[in-house]
Amino acid sequence: MSENIKFTVDGKELEGQSGELLIEACEKSGIHIPRFCWHKRLEPVGMCRMCLVEVETPRGKALVPSCTTEITEDLVVDTESEIVTKAQEGILEFLLINHPLDCPVCDKAGECPLQDQTMAYGPGESRFVEEKRHFEKPIPISEVILLDRERCILCARCTRFSDEISGDPLIEFIQRGNKTEVNTFPNEPFRSYFSGNTVQICPVGALTSTSYRFKARPWDLKKVSSTCNCCSVGCSIELNTSQNKMLRILGEDNEFTNQGWLSDKGRYNFDFLHSENRVLNILNKSEDSFNEISIAEATVKIKDKINELDNPNIKFLIGSHSTNEEYFVINEVANYLNKDKFLSRDSSNVYFSDDLLFNGYFDDEYSKAKLEDLDSSETIVVWCEDIKDNLPILYLRIKKAVKNGAKLIVFGHTNTAIAGLADFYFGKGIVSNKFDLIVNPSEIEDLKNNTQGKKVTVIAGKSTVFQKKESLDKLINYLNESSELKVFNSFSKGNTFGALQNIDEVKGLNEFCNEFDNDAKNIVFTVGVNPVNSSHFAQPIKEILISSDFVVSMDLFINETTELADLILPTTSLGEKEGTITNMEMRVMKQNKILPAPGSTLSEWEYLTAILNILGGDVQYRNENEINSFLVKEYKDQQQVATFDNLNKPSNLFGVINRKEININTKDLHEDTFSLLMVRRLYGDSSTQINSPSISMLGAERFIELNSETAKKFGIKSQFGNLVQGSNSILINIDINEFLPDGLVVAPINRRGFENVDPSKEFEITEAKNREELSVN
Amino acid sequence: MTWDTKLIEKANEIIELYPQKRSALGPLLYLAQEKEGYIDDDSVVEISKLIGITEVQVRSVASFYTMYKQEPTGQYLLSVCKSISCEINNSRELINNIKEFTGLANNETDEDKTFTFEEVECIGACGGAPAVQVNYETVEGVTPTKALELCKYLKEEVPKVIVADELQEKFGGVKSFDWGIEDNSGTSSTAPGFQIIGTAEEK
């Protein structure tokens, strides 16, 4: 246990905890010590020497780096003495010897720690008249990051981040002494899901993002805090705009969720906001082309269609990028159309677009996990889809917990990225080729020894679309009985939990396909979804949309799904709307607006209330805040409700946890034989990503994975081939992955080229003629 | 050049000596250097696979230590000490003589790949300063004239194996003490003898 310690800094008596670093303890008491290399989320290295302070020792006063010195009882520290000032001036003079004075063209200028601290602590004049060191500037070290080695002051923040935090050390110090530089290995670029964080923590302009380079000066930026909606972790972010254009997204240090880090998907997926392909006017399909119409015409058209079709089935296919307020309105409209007044159907008509949606563990018998529980767990059990690809920041949190001593147990065949961290990986022999648990969990010794009576957090979800809930139940119920269990439902897509909280009854895509009645009249509303591009059920959904009588799509782009619609209502996106979103721990956080809605786009709730009203409803929401005041009434804890006012309070900036009744109604998919599994990867061909030029290439690689046995069965000898299905043939890289069960081929569902692959049909893999074909995109 | 099975077997033997695979990095780099005379990219890839760290981490270590060569050296690597004991015993003139004879500046290799010349920091032979190393075999008490003779000998005789004691007898003077491990087998390449892992015994 840490105890309170009293120590003295600059004559003031301060208090801190034992084991705390001097620089951190001073910071907490409001004394700022300048630093470059020290970062509170990274291990200290004492590399830059900028944080030298004078400490009284038995042998007199001594200069020590405050970032590697722990506070002790009665420590006496001077941070402003003459010697400290001289040391700071000296260090800065050394750092500036080789640092180019290209601040006028440097992206970092204006928010640069080196610039700021030189102003505050520097010598003011340079005595250096010799030639500075030169490197080629800049060099790309990955598709999204450029490195200018001349500017680097060798603080090792980026290399420590990639080693300690993200675990993919693809950049390191090369050479020694005056020649030291940060670099990658030839032909081994810094391809990391988390590489953008190194740009954010670089204390100089050595690492820059291709997307932000030369775009703006920091003092011109308009900033607002918001919450990322790329996965259900809900990272705190800062949106930076200038001239009504989103220019960059930075991670904010939210202790509860992302702790400062972001995945590159969350950080760079914003260029699409200003893409020329974005739909800016309401499009009405007549014959085979779209023409622009007004909102008045559009609502009338919807009303006429509903009346004309005479008691049609009206279904809503919803996605994960709406706000809680929008889901609340979707629910209201869906209910109104379906049962309250209009058509008197008794079952729910809202379907959530996630292949892996299942009924989850929301009952009171399961205690719900928070992300911070990972840090205090003795064991973490994971059985869900690939965490690194689908919940990247959760991967970092698990990695951190494992580093601090938690045991990690991973089940299944497909969570391979996290396998490297796992103490125990239960794949073949314990999980069948059909993803069922074939061993009684109490009989797995290693599981029992590491969970019985211990604090356990489980991240539970369907690892693949074929998995049955029953086998997951076996594991979760066993753990719930034998250990102090906390459960995460691992629905990974954006604001899934907001949808679950605000919609009375949610069904999945399997139900959408099964419940479709071709003989009846059908109207489908799609809200921010593109299942035709990236779902296991893509083909049946495509057929349904084609055969439906009327399809209305609310979306940002014309894509595989919206091109099948009769009416496209262009909507708003990140930074263009205000609202709340709910993350996987039921933490409700604020999304803020900083950009005007472009063209004649409206938010989803605006379209929906207009539709509701023209059909005879009497809802008059004027803004998001009004919707919010209705939806907060349903939260279980009325002390801490997530109203806009509440969330804007400084103490609640990082969200409040609050729950609502959740009702999911899905059934397992029953496929007896399958050999092609399509899984979602972080990068892909979503319409937002392909319209964001800085990251559109990241999802270009086409590949399949299989184990060596399966490769033998297909007669695969080389590392590349063709995936052939009917007349469709895709050139692919072939990766051997021994975690996969025999006979199974895993392909990315959201990659260009794979959109016409139907997992339920036969396929074969043939040798590719030559490797060059692969690079054709 | 990728590594053949024999080399990989030897590497695995070395790796087994350590509780953690990555600790074997140093000796494995010697093994790579033994093979190519320098640390080439292919060897870096092999080593990274063998001990489970990334290529750039291997390169980072390999490029930090000056005795791991980043480029091919000549047949004879002449390392002349320029630290304080040698300096006050006139190593400067010795260095100048070698530079003049070979026509090389610091860290250069001649065109026919005979000599590589480097000025190095203390090589632990202060008692016998000034000291010179040929392919890391140390000769002590070398005078500027003897240094020239040593270069001539290497250039004309082209000895296949360099043995410290032989050179000491021919070109050396005062010797500090019996330094290092007992290893009279000499070296045939610019890589140092590394007795623990058995690279020296094979000569």
Side-chain angles (χ1 to χ4, degrees), chain A residues 163 169-176 183-186 188, chain B residues 41 44-45 54-57 59-60 63-66 70:
Chain A
D163 188 17
L170 296 168
I171 45 171
E172 253 303 347
F173 284 141
I174 305 290
Q175 290 279 5
R176 56 153 38 191
N183 214 331
T184 55
F185 191 70
E188 200 59 50
Chain B
D41 283 354
V44 170
V45 174
T54 60
E55 291 94 338
V56 72
Q57 287 179 312
R59 177 56 83 200
S60 177
S63 64
F64 182 83
Y65 295 101
T66 51
Q70 306 302 304

Side-chain angles (χ1 to χ4, degrees), chain A residues 540-553:
Chain A
I541 290 173
K542 188 174 181 179
E543 281 154 28
I544 286 173
L545 292 179
I546 290 170
S547 63
S548 291
D549 298 277
F550 192 56
V551 178
V552 182
S553 283

Side-chain angles (χ1 to χ4, degrees), chain B residues 6-17:
Chain B
K6 209 180 140 207
L7 202 57
I8 287 178
E9 233 167 68
K10 199 171 198 174
N12 282 325
E13 273 171 34
I14 295 169
I15 290 168
E16 272 174 31
L17 297 173

Side-chain angles (χ1 to χ4, degrees), chain A residues 302 305-317 333-339 342-351 507 511-526 544-545 547-552 566 615:
Chain A
I302 292 169
K305 209 74 195 180
I306 290 175
N307 290 335
E308 172 198 322
L309 288 175
D310 186 29
N311 207 21
N313 286 326
I314 302 180
K315 292 179 195 289
F316 284 81
L317 200 50
V333 176
N335 281 344
Y336 184 80
L337 292 179
N338 206 38
K339 41 191 175 185
F342 214 65
L343 300 163
S344 7
R345 302 280 196 280
D346 52 1
S347 75
S348 167
N349 57 345
V350 184
Y351 304 86
K507 295 190 228 178
E511 287 70 38
F512 180 77
C513 298
N514 288 339
E515 290 173 7
F516 186 76
D517 180 3
N518 218 346
D519 300 329
K521 299 287 180 198
N522 289 291
I523 294 180
V524 180
F525 285 85
T526 76
I544 286 173
L545 292 179
S547 63
S548 291
D549 298 277
F550 192 56
V551 178
V552 182
D566 298 288
L615 290 169

